[in-house]
Structure formats: structure tokens, C-alpha cells
Amino acid sequence: MKIISFTMVNNEGEIIESFIRYNYNFVDEMVVIDNGCTDNTVKILRNLIEEGYDIQIYDESLQAYDQFRLDNKYLDLIIKKNDPDIVIPLDADEFIVADENPRSALEKLDLDAIYYVNWQWYVMTKKDNFDEKFIPLRLKYCLDRSPWNYSDGSLVTKVIIPAKYYQLNKFTMSMGHHTVYGKKQINIQKISNIKIAHYRAISESQLINKTSCYTVRDISSLDNNFETAQRTNQMALIESGSNMLNAAIEASFGGYKANIIFNPVTLQYCSKRTTKIQYSDIATISRSEIEHRTGCEMAIKYYNAERHRKERPFLKPIILWMDGTKGKECIFPNPSNQLTMITAAANVRAYITAEEKIKFLKANYRLIITPEWSKFIPHTFIVIPNTVDFNKTRTFLVKSGIDEQHIISWKNYLYKLNIVGILWLYLGLIPGIVSRVHFYIKRNGLKNTIKKIHERVGKK
């Protein structure tokens, strides 16, 4: 039996390694959708892939948080592409538990029904060992009953999905992985021997960092977001200077009023390597750093909106490799003439570089980024000009996490455009150059513009 989990993540650095190492004991593959992480979540995932974990990462950083749409998109994709028997949607703070080995319990399920299981809701307490890096070892105290819906008192459910049955009947999964619905009658089996252990808050730093970042992202979204009221409530606590340990403990209850019991998660069905956390040094970053990164993300999205208004129609945006720098005491971008000509002709949304010192500067009125920020720039390809070593540059980009299929040479980019596309591209070259010269004259005067043109013409 082939069992796959899938998870959408956004800044889960403190818990993602524990999540993967624990749940991988019970599944064959794990799919992770990056919805715009600005911490080290993706870096930790890539380290785990290098260790041998079968993890597939999909990037949805340009998409606003829309759990319903993205979850259903990737549930359908996984069923078609990976051919699983069972798919388990999980959040990054959820761990599969059962009365027996969870893998054995899953393999006993018939594949002609949809299974509803319940949360086992774990909470933070002041008795917890906050120095423990492997999060499931902190899962000791839980509510004495499964969480319930406030509307009618029914227990909250999470779904386990036999893939072929789901696909054949064209069902849809609700937001939050709680239920499945469709036009046809559904064979729903509610089972109690498998549960999903949920650990909503794990530390003060996690509460502060995630609340701060999510608040900024919520401001930038045009969607109604009443469901995020808990985050704005938590933000008010942070800004008021409240005791954040108490706030984190309160948040871990999720508003539920119930007694707690000692019921630690067992690790007896896990491999010996499960608890060996190796990336704790990059799992947590400071509030100032995460807020800076989130601010950069928002600034890039504003840049995209402005840049989009200036782009030529019919040419999809690309990112172009920055092929030169200059200076010793202070490093400046120094694009070649070829790069400038390509920028005038094509829809170059941004430049990409390995040089951190010129990150977020602009050249030819295009933003310069390093590889980790490329996911926030709309583009079809990262194009490497003829002025640099293609293989060496591609190797660097791949090692930096860029999908090799999206890296091409300028020659191959022209080939993909075909004759009509190439003609359209070069038709825009002259007006592109004229527009740039005109703008430079307005800013620097005619004399300085002529001097600049002479410098560029004389440059090799």
C-alpha cells in the first residue's frame, strides 16, 4: 500500500523537521507546498531530502493564502501523478497517532470509503521541556476530550482519503481537511483507533513570529479574513506587552475549555533516527529578522505590481542572470551591453545574482535578487546570457534550490519563442532603448547621457 501525506507550509521552521521525521515513519512520500516561507523551512526540507527522505516540494509563493483552493489542487495532482492508495492531508503541527502502529492501522483500512478521524489536542504547559528540539517529545498533555464544533457540539473531524474512491466519485475536500463532499453519496466511516495529534502552539517565539508575519500578510490581502481574528487578538496581546509564555499557553488551547490529562505521544513505532534533530541551529530566527524578510516579501510584491504595468504584452516575464559587478570598497551592479539590450527587448522582471552585496539594488530599472527571493517574482524561466559560463551558473542556481527545468540559456529562450515571438521581441528593442535614453536625459541631462552612452559603447 502506498500512503502519501501532503502539507501546505508558511514559516514552520521550528516544527518542520520534527513533523517530517515523525510522520515519515508511517507514510511512503511527503508532499509539501511552500506558500511563501520567509524563514528556513524550505532550507530544512532540502537538507532532509539530501538525507534521503522522499519529499516533493511545490512552490506557491506567488499565491495568497487560500487553503481550500490549493489543498484541492494538490490533492488532485497527487492522486493523478503519484498514484497513491491513501492520501493524508496534514498541517505542519499534526502528527499521526493510533492505538497500534499507525502504519498498520492505515493499511487495514478498506479503500472504498472516506475516513473521518478526530484530533487529539495537545497543549503547552509550564511543565513542558522547552529545550527539547524534537517536538513530539513535548506532546505530553492533551485535552480530556476531542475538540468540538462550537456551533453544534459535534466533534471536529479530519479526513483520511482512499485516492481512487475519492477520484472516481469526483469529491471535494473542505477547507481545513475536515470533511469531504460531492454530488454522489459518500461512504463515510468514523473511526476512533487513529487520531491526529495536534500541537497548535509550541513556543513564545513561534507565537510572536507567526502572528507578526501573518498580520502583515493579512493586511496585504483583499480577501475577507474574519477567520484570522484569533491572530489579530494575539497581535494585540503582543503589542500590549503581555507575558508571552502565558499568551502562548492560552493560544495552544485554541479557545477550548476542558480538563487536561497526561497522555504522552508514544515513539515506540518510530525508527531510531527519528528523534535526532540536526537543523535546530537554523530552525528559529529572531523576530526582527523574520519581520525584515516578510517586509521584503511585501515590498517585492509591490514592485511586481508596478513592474507589471510597464511590461510589454504577449511576452511572459523572465528573470535574467546579472553578468557583472564593479567596485572594490563598494560593489555595484555592472550589466553587460548584451544584458542591457536583452532587458530593452524582453520582459525582464528582475535580475538574479550570487552577490549578496547588490541584492535589492536595481539596474536598468530592474530589481536584483538572490535565488531565495526568485519564488516571489513571476517568471517562466531564469535565463542565462551568453556572457557567462552557462554550466557553472546553472549548477549554482540548482544548488540554491532553483528547479533545473526553469533554467535556460538565452539561445534556448529564443528557440522557445519561435519566429513570431522573436520578431515581436526585437520590434520592441528600439522603442525600449529610446524610452530608457529619454528617461536618463530627464534625470541626468543631455551631456551626462551622451557621456554614459560613450562609456557603454566602449565597454566590452
Short mmCIF file of all heavy atoms in Angstrom, two decimals, residues 253-293:
data_model
loop_
_atom_site.label_atom_id
_atom_site.label_comp_id
_atom_site.label_asym_id
_atom_site.label_seq_id
_atom_site.Cartn_x
_atom_site.Cartn_y
_atom_site.Cartn_z
N PHE A 253 -4.56 26.28 23.60
CA PHE A 253 -5.87 25.69 23.90
C PHE A 253 -6.87 25.95 22.78
O PHE A 253 -7.90 25.28 22.70
CB PHE A 253 -6.41 26.23 25.22
CG PHE A 253 -5.85 25.56 26.44
CD1 PHE A 253 -4.58 25.87 26.91
CD2 PHE A 253 -6.59 24.59 27.12
CE1 PHE A 253 -4.05 25.26 28.03
CE2 PHE A 253 -6.07 23.97 28.25
CZ PHE A 253 -4.79 24.29 28.70
N GLY A 254 -6.58 26.95 21.91
CA GLY A 254 -7.47 27.24 20.80
C GLY A 254 -8.87 27.65 21.22
O GLY A 254 -9.84 27.49 20.45
N GLY A 255 -9.00 28.18 22.42
CA GLY A 255 -10.31 28.61 22.90
C GLY A 255 -11.13 27.52 23.56
O GLY A 255 -12.22 27.78 24.09
N TYR A 256 -10.63 26.28 23.55
CA TYR A 256 -11.39 25.18 24.17
C TYR A 256 -11.24 25.20 25.69
O TYR A 256 -10.15 25.42 26.21
CB TYR A 256 -10.91 23.83 23.62
CG TYR A 256 -11.28 23.60 22.19
CD1 TYR A 256 -10.31 23.60 21.19
CD2 TYR A 256 -12.60 23.40 21.81
CE1 TYR A 256 -10.64 23.40 19.86
CE2 TYR A 256 -12.95 23.19 20.49
CZ TYR A 256 -11.97 23.20 19.51
OH TYR A 256 -12.31 23.00 18.20
N LYS A 257 -12.34 24.95 26.36
CA LYS A 257 -12.35 24.87 27.82
C LYS A 257 -12.56 23.41 28.21
O LYS A 257 -13.64 22.84 28.04
CB LYS A 257 -13.47 25.73 28.41
CG LYS A 257 -13.43 27.20 27.98
CD LYS A 257 -12.16 27.90 28.44
CE LYS A 257 -12.17 29.37 28.04
NZ LYS A 257 -10.91 30.06 28.41
N ALA A 258 -11.51 22.79 28.69
CA ALA A 258 -11.59 21.37 29.07
C ALA A 258 -10.45 21.06 30.02
O ALA A 258 -9.47 21.82 30.13
CB ALA A 258 -11.51 20.47 27.84
N ASN A 259 -10.59 19.96 30.71
CA ASN A 259 -9.50 19.50 31.57
C ASN A 259 -8.39 18.94 30.70
O ASN A 259 -8.60 18.51 29.56
CB ASN A 259 -10.01 18.43 32.53
CG ASN A 259 -11.05 18.96 33.49
OD1 ASN A 259 -10.93 20.09 33.98
ND2 ASN A 259 -12.07 18.16 33.77
N ILE A 260 -7.17 18.93 31.24
CA ILE A 260 -6.07 18.31 30.51
C ILE A 260 -5.60 17.06 31.26
O ILE A 260 -5.69 16.98 32.49
CB ILE A 260 -4.89 19.28 30.29
CG1 ILE A 260 -4.32 19.78 31.62
CG2 ILE A 260 -5.31 20.45 29.42
CD1 ILE A 260 -3.04 20.61 31.44
N ILE A 261 -5.12 16.11 30.48
CA ILE A 261 -4.65 14.85 31.05
C ILE A 261 -3.24 14.56 30.56
O ILE A 261 -2.83 15.06 29.50
CB ILE A 261 -5.59 13.68 30.69
CG1 ILE A 261 -5.73 13.54 29.17
CG2 ILE A 261 -6.95 13.86 31.33
CD1 ILE A 261 -6.50 12.32 28.72
N PHE A 262 -2.52 13.77 31.31
CA PHE A 262 -1.17 13.35 30.92
C PHE A 262 -1.32 12.16 29.97
O PHE A 262 -1.80 11.10 30.35
CB PHE A 262 -0.36 12.96 32.15
CG PHE A 262 1.07 12.57 31.84
CD1 PHE A 262 1.99 13.52 31.46
CD2 PHE A 262 1.47 11.24 31.93
CE1 PHE A 262 3.31 13.16 31.17
CE2 PHE A 262 2.78 10.87 31.65
CZ PHE A 262 3.70 11.85 31.27
N ASN A 263 -0.91 12.36 28.72
CA ASN A 263 -1.08 11.33 27.69
C ASN A 263 0.00 11.49 26.62
O ASN A 263 -0.28 11.91 25.50
CB ASN A 263 -2.48 11.44 27.08
CG ASN A 263 -2.76 10.33 26.09
OD1 ASN A 263 -2.15 9.26 26.14
ND2 ASN A 263 -3.69 10.57 25.16
N PRO A 264 1.25 11.19 26.97
CA PRO A 264 2.35 11.46 26.03
C PRO A 264 2.25 10.63 24.75
O PRO A 264 1.81 9.48 24.77
CB PRO A 264 3.60 11.08 26.84
CG PRO A 264 3.11 10.15 27.90
CD PRO A 264 1.72 10.58 28.22
N VAL A 265 2.65 11.26 23.64
CA VAL A 265 2.71 10.55 22.36
C VAL A 265 3.81 9.50 22.43
O VAL A 265 4.93 9.79 22.87
CB VAL A 265 2.97 11.55 21.21
CG1 VAL A 265 3.35 10.82 19.94
CG2 VAL A 265 1.75 12.43 20.98
N THR A 266 3.50 8.28 21.99
CA THR A 266 4.50 7.22 22.03
C THR A 266 5.39 7.25 20.79
O THR A 266 4.93 7.59 19.69
CB THR A 266 3.82 5.83 22.13
OG1 THR A 266 4.84 4.83 22.18
CG2 THR A 266 2.92 5.56 20.93
N LEU A 267 6.63 6.92 20.98
CA LEU A 267 7.58 6.84 19.87
C LEU A 267 8.01 5.39 19.60
O LEU A 267 8.95 5.15 18.85
CB LEU A 267 8.82 7.69 20.17
CG LEU A 267 8.58 9.18 20.43
CD1 LEU A 267 9.91 9.88 20.69
CD2 LEU A 267 7.87 9.83 19.26
N GLN A 268 7.28 4.43 20.17
CA GLN A 268 7.71 3.03 20.05
C GLN A 268 7.63 2.50 18.62
O GLN A 268 8.26 1.49 18.30
CB GLN A 268 6.87 2.15 20.98
CG GLN A 268 5.39 2.09 20.65
CD GLN A 268 4.63 1.14 21.56
OE1 GLN A 268 5.00 -0.03 21.70
NE2 GLN A 268 3.57 1.64 22.20
N TYR A 269 6.86 3.18 17.76
CA TYR A 269 6.73 2.71 16.38
C TYR A 269 7.62 3.50 15.42
O TYR A 269 7.51 3.37 14.20
CB TYR A 269 5.27 2.82 15.93
CG TYR A 269 4.32 2.11 16.86
CD1 TYR A 269 3.36 2.83 17.59
CD2 TYR A 269 4.38 0.73 17.04
CE1 TYR A 269 2.49 2.19 18.46
CE2 TYR A 269 3.51 0.08 17.91
CZ TYR A 269 2.57 0.82 18.61
OH TYR A 269 1.71 0.18 19.47
N CYS A 270 8.50 4.32 15.98
CA CYS A 270 9.37 5.17 15.17
C CYS A 270 10.78 4.57 15.09
O CYS A 270 11.23 3.88 16.00
CB CYS A 270 9.45 6.57 15.76
SG CYS A 270 7.86 7.42 15.84
N SER A 271 11.48 4.88 14.00
CA SER A 271 12.85 4.42 13.85
C SER A 271 13.76 5.15 14.83
O SER A 271 13.41 6.21 15.37
CB SER A 271 13.33 4.65 12.42
OG SER A 271 13.47 6.04 12.16
N LYS A 272 14.95 4.61 15.02
CA LYS A 272 15.89 5.19 15.99
C LYS A 272 16.35 6.59 15.59
O LYS A 272 16.67 7.42 16.45
CB LYS A 272 17.09 4.27 16.17
CG LYS A 272 16.74 2.95 16.85
CD LYS A 272 17.99 2.08 17.03
CE LYS A 272 17.64 0.78 17.75
NZ LYS A 272 18.82 -0.10 17.93
N ARG A 273 16.38 6.86 14.30
CA ARG A 273 16.89 8.17 13.85
C ARG A 273 15.85 9.28 13.97
O ARG A 273 16.16 10.45 13.77
CB ARG A 273 17.38 8.09 12.41
CG ARG A 273 16.28 7.96 11.36
CD ARG A 273 16.86 8.13 9.96
NE ARG A 273 15.82 8.05 8.94
CZ ARG A 273 16.01 8.37 7.67
NH1 ARG A 273 17.20 8.79 7.26
NH2 ARG A 273 15.04 8.27 6.78
N THR A 274 14.62 8.89 14.30
CA THR A 274 13.51 9.85 14.28
C THR A 274 13.77 11.07 15.15
O THR A 274 13.51 12.20 14.74
CB THR A 274 12.20 9.17 14.73
OG1 THR A 274 11.87 8.14 13.79
CG2 THR A 274 11.07 10.16 14.80
N THR A 275 14.28 10.88 16.35
CA THR A 275 14.38 11.99 17.31
C THR A 275 15.66 12.81 17.15
O THR A 275 15.87 13.77 17.90
CB THR A 275 14.34 11.43 18.75
OG1 THR A 275 15.43 10.54 18.96
CG2 THR A 275 13.02 10.70 18.99
N LYS A 276 16.51 12.44 16.19
CA LYS A 276 17.81 13.12 16.04
C LYS A 276 17.66 14.39 15.21
O LYS A 276 17.85 14.39 13.99
CB LYS A 276 18.83 12.16 15.41
CG LYS A 276 19.14 10.96 16.30
CD LYS A 276 20.15 10.03 15.65
CE LYS A 276 20.45 8.84 16.56
NZ LYS A 276 21.40 7.87 15.93
N ILE A 277 17.32 15.47 15.87
CA ILE A 277 17.15 16.77 15.22
C ILE A 277 18.53 17.34 14.87
O ILE A 277 19.41 17.45 15.73
CB ILE A 277 16.39 17.73 16.14
CG1 ILE A 277 14.97 17.21 16.38
CG2 ILE A 277 16.36 19.13 15.54
CD1 ILE A 277 14.11 17.13 15.14
N GLN A 278 18.71 17.71 13.61
CA GLN A 278 20.03 18.16 13.16
C GLN A 278 20.07 19.62 12.72
O GLN A 278 21.16 20.17 12.52
CB GLN A 278 20.48 17.29 11.98
CG GLN A 278 20.67 15.82 12.33
CD GLN A 278 21.28 15.04 11.20
OE1 GLN A 278 22.13 15.54 10.45
NE2 GLN A 278 20.85 13.80 11.04
N TYR A 279 18.90 20.26 12.57
CA TYR A 279 18.91 21.59 11.98
C TYR A 279 18.31 22.65 12.91
O TYR A 279 17.76 23.65 12.45
CB TYR A 279 18.17 21.57 10.63
CG TYR A 279 18.65 20.44 9.75
CD1 TYR A 279 17.82 19.38 9.40
CD2 TYR A 279 19.98 20.40 9.32
CE1 TYR A 279 18.27 18.33 8.63
CE2 TYR A 279 20.44 19.35 8.54
CZ TYR A 279 19.59 18.31 8.21
OH TYR A 279 20.05 17.26 7.44
N SER A 280 18.45 22.42 14.20
CA SER A 280 17.89 23.37 15.17
C SER A 280 18.59 24.73 15.10
O SER A 280 18.01 25.75 15.49
CB SER A 280 17.99 22.81 16.59
OG SER A 280 19.33 22.52 16.93
N ASP A 281 19.83 24.74 14.59
CA ASP A 281 20.58 26.00 14.52
C ASP A 281 19.97 26.98 13.52
O ASP A 281 20.20 28.19 13.61
CB ASP A 281 22.05 25.73 14.17
CG ASP A 281 22.22 24.99 12.86
OD1 ASP A 281 21.38 24.11 12.56
OD2 ASP A 281 23.19 25.25 12.13
N ILE A 282 19.20 26.47 12.55
CA ILE A 282 18.56 27.36 11.58
C ILE A 282 17.03 27.35 11.71
O ILE A 282 16.34 28.00 10.94
CB ILE A 282 18.96 27.01 10.14
CG1 ILE A 282 18.54 25.57 9.79
CG2 ILE A 282 20.45 27.22 9.93
CD1 ILE A 282 18.75 25.23 8.32
N ALA A 283 16.51 26.60 12.68
CA ALA A 283 15.06 26.45 12.81
C ALA A 283 14.39 27.71 13.32
O ALA A 283 13.25 28.02 12.95
CB ALA A 283 14.73 25.28 13.73
N THR A 284 15.07 28.44 14.19
CA THR A 284 14.49 29.63 14.79
C THR A 284 15.30 30.86 14.40
O THR A 284 16.52 30.85 14.49
CB THR A 284 14.47 29.51 16.33
OG1 THR A 284 13.78 28.32 16.70
CG2 THR A 284 13.77 30.70 16.95
N ILE A 285 14.61 31.89 13.96
CA ILE A 285 15.27 33.16 13.68
C ILE A 285 14.58 34.24 14.49
O ILE A 285 13.45 34.08 14.95
CB ILE A 285 15.28 33.51 12.18
CG1 ILE A 285 13.85 33.59 11.62
CG2 ILE A 285 16.08 32.49 11.40
CD1 ILE A 285 13.81 33.95 10.16
N SER A 286 15.25 35.36 14.67
CA SER A 286 14.74 36.41 15.55
C SER A 286 13.50 37.07 14.96
O SER A 286 13.25 37.01 13.74
CB SER A 286 15.82 37.47 15.78
OG SER A 286 16.08 38.17 14.57
N ARG A 287 12.76 37.74 15.84
CA ARG A 287 11.57 38.45 15.38
C ARG A 287 11.95 39.54 14.38
O ARG A 287 11.27 39.71 13.35
CB ARG A 287 10.83 39.06 16.57
CG ARG A 287 9.59 39.85 16.15
CD ARG A 287 8.88 40.49 17.33
NE ARG A 287 7.73 41.26 16.88
CZ ARG A 287 6.95 41.97 17.69
NH1 ARG A 287 7.21 42.00 18.98
NH2 ARG A 287 5.92 42.65 17.20
N SER A 288 13.02 40.25 14.66
CA SER A 288 13.43 41.34 13.74
C SER A 288 13.79 40.78 12.37
O SER A 288 13.45 41.38 11.34
CB SER A 288 14.61 42.12 14.33
OG SER A 288 15.74 41.28 14.52
N GLU A 289 14.45 39.62 12.34
CA GLU A 289 14.84 39.03 11.06
C GLU A 289 13.63 38.54 10.28
O GLU A 289 13.51 38.79 9.07
CB GLU A 289 15.81 37.87 11.30
CG GLU A 289 16.24 37.12 10.04
CD GLU A 289 17.06 37.95 9.07
OE1 GLU A 289 17.53 39.03 9.47
OE2 GLU A 289 17.22 37.52 7.91
N ILE A 290 12.70 37.85 10.95
CA ILE A 290 11.53 37.34 10.23
C ILE A 290 10.64 38.48 9.76
O ILE A 290 10.05 38.43 8.67
CB ILE A 290 10.74 36.33 11.09
CG1 ILE A 290 9.75 35.53 10.22
CG2 ILE A 290 10.01 37.00 12.23
CD1 ILE A 290 10.37 34.65 9.19
N GLU A 291 10.55 39.56 10.56
CA GLU A 291 9.76 40.70 10.13
C GLU A 291 10.43 41.43 8.97
O GLU A 291 9.76 41.91 8.06
CB GLU A 291 9.52 41.65 11.31
CG GLU A 291 8.54 41.09 12.33
CD GLU A 291 8.26 42.05 13.47
OE1 GLU A 291 9.03 43.02 13.62
OE2 GLU A 291 7.28 41.82 14.21
N HIS A 292 11.79 41.47 8.99
CA HIS A 292 12.51 42.07 7.87
C HIS A 292 12.26 41.27 6.59
O HIS A 292 11.96 41.84 5.53
CB HIS A 292 14.01 42.11 8.17
CG HIS A 292 14.85 42.46 6.99
ND1 HIS A 292 14.89 43.72 6.44
CD2 HIS A 292 15.69 41.69 6.22
CE1 HIS A 292 15.71 43.73 5.41
NE2 HIS A 292 16.19 42.52 5.25
N ARG A 293 12.33 39.95 6.69
CA ARG A 293 12.13 39.11 5.50
C ARG A 293 10.71 39.22 4.98
O ARG A 293 10.49 39.28 3.76
CB ARG A 293 12.45 37.65 5.83
CG ARG A 293 13.92 37.39 6.13
CD ARG A 293 14.16 35.90 6.30
NE ARG A 293 15.51 35.60 6.78
CZ ARG A 293 15.99 34.38 6.93
NH1 ARG A 293 15.22 33.33 6.64
NH2 ARG A 293 17.22 34.17 7.36
#
